[in-house]
Amino acid sequence: MADIQIYKKSPVEYELEKRRAKKSMQAQIIMFSLMIFLTLVSFTMVVAFNADILGFSKYFVIPILLLFAAVQVGLQLYYFMHMNEKGHGFAKLFMYTGMLLAFSMLLGYIVITWW
Amino acid sequence: MSSVAQKRSFGATVWDWMTTVDHKKIGILYLLGGLFFFVLGGIEALIIRLQLLKPNNDLVSAGLFNELITMHGTTMIFLAAMPILFGLMNAIMPLQIGARDVAFPFINSLGLWMFIFGGIFLNLSWFFGQVPDAGWTSYTSLAITSEGHGIDFYAIGLQIAGGGTLMAGINFLVTIINMRAPGMTYMRMPLFTWTTFVASALILFAFPPLTIGLFMLTFDRLFGGNFFDHTMGGNTIIWEHIFWIFGHPEVYILILPAFGIFSEVFPIFARKRLFGYASMVFATVLIGFLGFMVWAHHMFTVGLGPTANAIFAVATMAIAVPTGVKIFNWLLTIWGGSIKVTVPMLYALGFIPSFVMGGVTGIMQGAAPLDYQLHDSYFIVAHFHYVIVGGVVLGIFSGMTLWWPKMFGVMLSETLGKWTFWFFFIGFHLTFLIQHWLGFWGMPRRVWTYMDGQGWNSANFISTIGAMLMGIGVIIFLINVIKSHVQKKPVPNDPWGDGRTLEWAIPSPPPFYNFAQTPLVRGLDSVWIEKQEGNESGLTPAEPVQDIHMPNGSIIPFLMTLGIFVAGFGAMYRLETSWGLPVLVLGLFFTFATMSARSLKDDLGFYVKKEQVLKDLKEKGGKI
């Protein structure tokens, strides 16, 4: 019998899918520009720090860089790895549990071994 | 491809088992491999007990004794208890959720071969005469200074076996999330499936720390690393943390599936719905979560300080709450039931008091100040044997007896089963109950021998007698297995008569595609519901009989693991021999080559034709 089963979409389904794909594409482009912008800002900050421009101290640049990095990871996961779409509940559950456990272990290390 | 048994040559049979991706066959291989290592670890245990039979005994040397206790612990945890449980999970869990195989049959086979080769690698140390001797925890201050290649066998062997475990865990997770039959919602899953799910999640989070720890240990010993060497700026306490971040969830990985088995056994043989299903599920998840928050209770005496000790003591005691919920639910399941005391039920009934005793001593050690008294004494040995033997091993025996007819199509003898139970159960309490007092009387654990006149003689003698009774129990079990397989009486779909979950509605052993038609699940205890409503087959199909897509077998997992196995020896002998490095490179290259062979060639599986399925149904007398 059939080795490959082909499912024909109805015109309505086809239209719906097209509209969704368009929306998702728009969001991706917006996020992509945002990510490039964040990268540019980060890069500029580091250049400014290296050029000893007033106000760009180590204690300002490093936390902001880490913050931007976290935002970029989030954007990457949610928009480019499709975690904002339906059916990713378990992926989210396991990732957040993993992060929580890793955080508590790291905290354990810092507080009771290395402090 | 026919599912009718044909006479085949020995070689073809071996090849079939080596290349199989069928979850039932892989389950059987896990089970048999685990039983082999269980017997091996048992022999080690008996030698340990014989050495401690009388004071100043010199049956084995002190060095050999250290090797025996190390290999006993490592073998029993990693190579016996876990694989046997994986065998049961593999064989039964897909049947319980109405699936035809696990999500990744190829990876399932890879996990199996990694366990087998890892186990062989570890135990080859006996033939090389350089055996791990730093305890199953392998604390690094000892492990790094250990002479010879013993600890290298430990690190690399466990690395290989641990990789297999991680794959199996991920596979079970994906299977349970994606492959449940129509109508099988999460809150309709049998408890054994639930505990498999939570134990697999624990594997997913607990095994990466072990992998990292073992890599660090390997690098310290073989590649000039200094992670744990304090003279070079390392920190030996890090190993203890890493090991117990893995090690504590590990004991829940062992006990949760055993809880699942008992949660199946009680309703079947009390012929009553499991009491408090939702709270059982909740308790399982909660135990799994809290299991990650308590690792430092193994390290109270390291000197973490009173604050850390207090936090971990409280977290530890919190785990008693969900465990207590489970115990009371089981008791209330039996309460008022129409109880049949079969062999699986005997184990389950024996489990409750035994495990509660182990749990209570656990709470005692969880109290940090008391732990300073109990630490490194025989009390600890008694405690963890009470939870692992009284919980996990009784669970394994119960589950094996319960599902043996489903896995092999052969019923184990009830009479011999009862003999096994009583020998094992009495032997177990005789061995370990007295060890609590040995601990109170000051006998330290992991000692090779002891002096006369300390009041320990008769207690150790009793303990050794108990160990021998346990040994007799296991021998009777093996005789039972052989005898039943020689007699080979065919068994019906539901040999126990009161099966509640989907596996009891299909033939024993099931056809390789499990379900001729995917079942429709209409509630918890699906088969029970169907039978109550007069449907004798126990199944309502969710689809017409149609072609079934099944995966092809493959030898690649075996070869892939062989490469890693060879590379392990190369890594170990890299420094002192000239062939070490080439063998390491060659082994890894071989593994990568087999990986690319797998990636580059698509294997789309095959279809079991509709006509074949109909023919099988007719022969088995099933309805269409």
Side-chain angles (χ1 to χ4, degrees):
Chain A
M1 216 188 74
D3 284 333
I4 303 159
Q5 284 167 351
I6 298 165
Y7 174 74
K8 263 230 148 80
K9 283 179 221 155
S10 72
V12 182
E13 277 177 313
Y14 183 74
E15 277 304 312
L16 183 71
E17 208 148 278
K18 211 170 152 188
R19 218 168 45 233
R20 281 199 182 140
K22 198 177 165 191
K23 237 179 160 178
S24 149
M25 191 65 187
Q26 272 173 353
Q28 287 195 355
I29 288 176
I30 293 170
M31 291 309 150
F32 187 58
S33 351
L34 185 61
M35 285 168 86
I36 291 181
F37 176 69
L38 286 178
T39 312
L40 269 178
V41 173
S42 313
F43 189 70
T44 321
M45 274 198 307
V46 175
V47 171
F49 169 72
N50 276 340
D52 284 329
I53 291 174
L54 198 67
F56 287 90
S57 78
K58 202 165 76 174
Y59 301 101
F60 172 71
V61 173
I62 291 177
I64 298 287
L65 273 183
L66 289 176
L67 179 73
F68 281 5
V71 171
Q72 294 240 20
V73 168
L75 289 180
Q76 174 75 27
L77 285 175
Y78 272 81
Y79 285 91
F80 293 97
M81 300 180 83
H82 303 286
M83 256 172 64
N84 56 347
E85 287 167 20
K86 263 189 195 162
H88 289 69
F90 265 106
K92 278 186 213 166
L93 175 71
F94 276 91
M95 280 180 61
Y96 289 129
T97 315
M99 283 178 201
L100 182 71
L101 296 179
F103 175 76
S104 63
M105 283 162 198
L106 212 61
L107 192 71
Y109 269 95
I110 292 168
V111 174
I112 59 189
T113 310
W114 291 324
W115 198 295
Chain B
M1 186 82 193
S2 160
S3 61
V4 181
Q6 283 156 353
K7 194 85 182 156
R8 275 187 308 191
S9 71
F10 178 73
T13 311
V14 170
W15 180 256
D16 180 45
W17 284 89
M18 276 169 69
T19 58
T20 187
V21 291
D22 180 351
H23 73 95
K24 296 174 292 298
K25 284 187 174 171
I26 290 177
I28 288 173
L29 287 176
Y30 262 120
L31 190 78
L32 296 182
L35 278 175
F36 170 75
F37 286 117
F38 182 70
V39 171
L40 199 64
I43 292 170
E44 284 155 7
L46 281 174
I47 300 175
I48 294 171
R49 276 319 317 170
L50 283 175
Q51 162 63 23
L52 294 170
L53 177 68
K54 56 183 202 280
N56 295 316
N57 200 0
D58 58 354
L59 176 71
V60 296
S61 69
L64 182 56
F65 186 85
N66 286 345
E67 295 168 357
L68 282 169
I69 56 163
T70 304
M71 288 302 282
H72 166 71
T74 314
T75 304
M76 283 303 197
I77 297 277
F78 291 97
L79 307 177
M82 261 203 316
I84 294 177
L85 288 170
F86 275 3
L88 294 174
M89 290 173 180
N90 242 316
I92 301 302
M93 180 272 288
L95 304 182
Q96 285 194 328
I97 61 173
R100 292 207 167 103
D101 207 325
V102 290
F104 307 117
F106 180 90
I107 291 182
N108 203 12
S109 153
L110 186 58
L112 166 79
W113 290 110
M114 286 184 80
F115 145 62
I116 290 180
F117 275 105
I120 292 174
F121 192 93
L122 191 57
N123 277 287
L124 277 180
S125 61
W126 288 112
F127 295 100
F128 282 74
Q130 296 170 328
V131 189
D133 56 358
W136 87 281
T137 53
S138 209
Y139 276 12
T140 45
S141 21
L142 252 181
I144 286 185
T145 49
S146 171
E147 306 265 322
H149 281 300
I151 303 297
D152 306 332
F153 275 110
Y154 171 94
I156 297 169
L158 284 191
Q159 191 71 272
I160 297 172
T165 308
L166 189 56
M167 285 179 207
I170 293 171
N171 208 346
F172 291 145
L173 282 174
V174 179
T175 306
I176 295 174
I177 292 174
N178 290 320
M179 298 185 65
R180 284 164 293 131
M184 175 71 80
T185 59
Y186 283 106
M187 290 312 273
R188 285 177 185 175
M189 290 195 317
L191 240 282
F192 183 65
T193 303
W194 256 113
T195 51
T196 301
F197 184 68
V198 176
S200 303
L202 293 186
I203 289 172
L204 179 65
F205 292 126
F207 268 73
L210 176 73
T211 306
I212 291 166
L214 287 174
F215 263 126
M216 287 157 104
L217 181 61
T218 312
F219 273 81
D220 267 18
R221 284 187 57 94
L222 297 172
F223 296 93
N226 292 303
F227 294 107
F228 306 122
D229 183 359
H230 72 98
T231 57
M232 304 297 284
N235 188 339
T236 183
I237 304 296
I238 294 177
W239 167 266
E240 297 188 23
H241 278 294
I242 291 179
F243 187 85
W244 288 116
I245 282 173
F246 147 76
H248 198 80
E250 165 69 17
V251 299
Y252 290 108
I253 293 167
L254 295 177
I255 198 64
L256 285 177
F259 284 174
I261 291 167
F262 293 125
S263 303
E264 301 289 324
V265 168
F266 282 124
I268 291 178
F269 296 108
R271 287 180 272 192
K272 206 168 146 248
R273 195 190 137 117
L274 183 70
F275 188 91
Y277 173 84
S279 67
M280 282 300 230
V281 171
F282 179 69
T284 307
V285 176
L286 195 61
I287 291 174
F289 185 77
L290 287 176
F292 279 98
M293 305 295 163
V294 297
W295 78 88
H297 69 204
H298 298 270
M299 304 163 60
F300 279 153
T301 57
V302 165
L304 304 176
T307 315
N309 279 5
I311 292 169
F312 282 101
V314 171
T316 303
M317 293 183 191
I319 294 190
V321 178
T323 316
V325 168
K326 277 176 167 287
I327 298 279
F328 284 110
N329 278 337
W330 287 319
L331 291 177
L332 290 167
T333 305
I334 319 172
W335 191 306
S338 154
I339 301 166
K340 259 200 301 195
V341 186
T342 56
V343 175
M345 187 65 169
L346 261 181
Y347 283 112
L349 292 172
F351 150 81
I352 291 186
S354 311
F355 189 77
V356 167
M357 286 160 81
V360 169
T361 51
I363 300 289
M364 289 168 74
Q365 291 157 42
L370 183 55
D371 187 65
Y372 272 82
Q373 304 295 317
L374 304 173
H375 186 77
D376 251 347
S377 76
Y378 254 81
F379 190 88
I380 305 292
V381 178
H383 158 73
F384 67 69
H385 281 96
Y386 255 85
V387 281
I388 290 184
V389 182
V392 182
V393 179
L394 291 186
I396 282 171
F397 274 117
S398 180
M400 282 199 300
T401 323
L402 178 72
W403 284 312
W404 202 275
K406 189 49 67 185
M407 290 174 78
F408 295 91
V410 167
M411 194 84 174
L412 294 181
S413 151
E414 282 281 294
T415 322
L416 284 178
K418 282 179 182 162
W419 279 105
T420 305
F421 170 77
W422 287 112
F423 267 108
F424 195 83
F425 190 71
I426 293 171
F428 154 64
H429 281 280
L430 211 54
T431 312
F432 296 111
L433 189 64
I434 194 76
Q435 290 186 0
H436 291 106
W437 280 274
L438 269 177
F440 288 142
W441 297 332
M443 180 162 167
R445 67 189 277 208
R446 290 174 171 168
V447 286
W448 162 57
T449 189
Y450 51 92
M451 305 281 267
D452 200 2
Q454 297 184 94
W456 300 344
N457 300 4
S458 46
N460 271 303
F461 184 77
I462 292 170
S463 191
T464 302
I465 299 298
M468 286 172 178
L469 293 186
M470 289 169 85
I472 294 172
V474 174
I475 290 170
I476 297 176
F477 178 79
L478 296 178
I479 292 172
N480 192 355
V481 167
I482 294 165
K483 191 169 155 265
S484 311
H485 276 263
V486 170
Q487 288 175 344
K488 215 170 173 58
K489 284 189 207 129
V491 287
N493 289 2
D494 181 7
W496 300 104
D498 298 296
R500 308 175 73 87
T501 42
L502 281 174
E503 77 266 30
W504 303 114
I506 52 175
S508 330
F512 70 99
Y513 47 79
N514 295 351
F515 295 91
Q517 293 153 290
T518 302
L520 180 71
V521 178
R522 297 191 295 142
L524 179 64
D525 294 338
S526 183
V527 172
W528 181 261
I529 291 178
E530 298 288 347
K531 285 192 173 171
Q532 289 298 305
E533 294 181 359
N535 179 358
E536 272 310 307
S537 72
L539 279 186
T540 301
E543 59 175 18
V545 177
Q546 56 191 15
D547 290 5
I548 298 170
H549 186 217
M550 294 300 288
N552 282 324
S554 170
I555 190 68
I556 293 178
F558 181 87
L559 297 176
M560 223 181 247
T561 321
L562 189 67
I564 302 173
F565 178 78
V566 170
F569 279 103
M572 208 154 61
Y573 286 101
R574 187 186 60 98
L575 287 178
E576 65 231 51
T577 61
S578 54
W579 53 263
L581 191 61
V583 166
L584 172 63
V585 173
L586 195 77
L588 288 179
F589 177 78
F590 185 69
T591 299
F592 283 123
T594 50
M595 282 170 149
S596 12
R598 167 69 180 171
S599 308
L600 296 175
K601 191 178 169 304
D602 282 336
D603 185 353
L604 299 172
F606 67 98
Y607 279 93
V608 185
K609 296 286 178 227
K610 186 178 166 184
E611 294 74 34
Q612 181 66 46
V613 179
L614 286 170
K615 197 168 142 241
D616 288 354
L617 276 174
K618 218 174 191 174
E619 274 166 14
K620 301 241 162 57
K623 80 175 188 86
I624 297 163

